[in-house]
Amino acid sequence: MHAPHTYGRQAMGDEALKLAQLTDDVLFNDVWERPELSKRDRSLVTVAALLALYRLEQLPGHLVRALENGVAREELVEVITHLAFYAGWPAAHSAIQRLNAIPRQG
């Protein structure tokens, strides 16, 4: 019997079931649910870390999540602009391209 298609399963497929389970159970069902930081704040931290570490493959999904968690596009642009001077211009340029690829709502 197959497990339900959770985010971990969708992202990692059927080959890495344990990694998918840990992603779902630990990261999204535990860490992201801790009350000490809001999901909005966690999104800002995550976007900043992904940009600074140049983890561009993960960035689009977390930019969308940040918008869903109440971070305004203008705030994401400001985070990217600010980090251009700490994480590097190429990282900021790549991040803004990924943000611009996300359709505006409304």
Side-chain angles (χ1 to χ4, degrees):
M1 179 172 201
H2 291 289
H5 283 283
T6 59
Y7 173 79
R9 284 287 301 281
Q10 291 172 359
M12 293 163 210
D14 292 332
E15 296 298 318
L17 292 177
K18 186 62 178 179
L19 183 56
Q21 177 196 356
L22 291 168
T23 299
D24 292 330
D25 294 348
V26 178
L27 179 59
F28 289 113
N29 292 331
D30 183 8
V31 174
W32 271 87
E33 297 300 323
R34 292 172 55 82
E36 290 80 7
L37 285 177
S38 68
K39 287 185 181 176
R40 181 187 186 286
D41 290 347
R42 288 184 192 282
S43 283
L44 281 171
V45 170
T46 302
V47 166
L50 292 172
L51 187 159
L53 294 170
Y54 210 61
R55 302 297 195 256
L56 300 179
E57 186 175 297
Q58 301 296 314
L59 193 54
H62 282 284
L63 289 168
V64 169
R65 179 179 278 249
L67 292 166
E68 291 170 352
N69 285 338
V71 179
R73 286 183 88 91
E74 295 77 15
E75 292 174 303
L76 290 171
V77 170
E78 191 61 27
V79 165
I80 293 167
T81 301
H82 185 78
L83 286 173
F85 296 93
Y86 293 94
W89 209 264
H93 183 265
S94 295
I96 204 70
Q97 287 180 318
R98 277 143 183 89
L99 180 61
N100 287 340
I102 299 169
R104 290 183 175 269
Q105 299 297 316

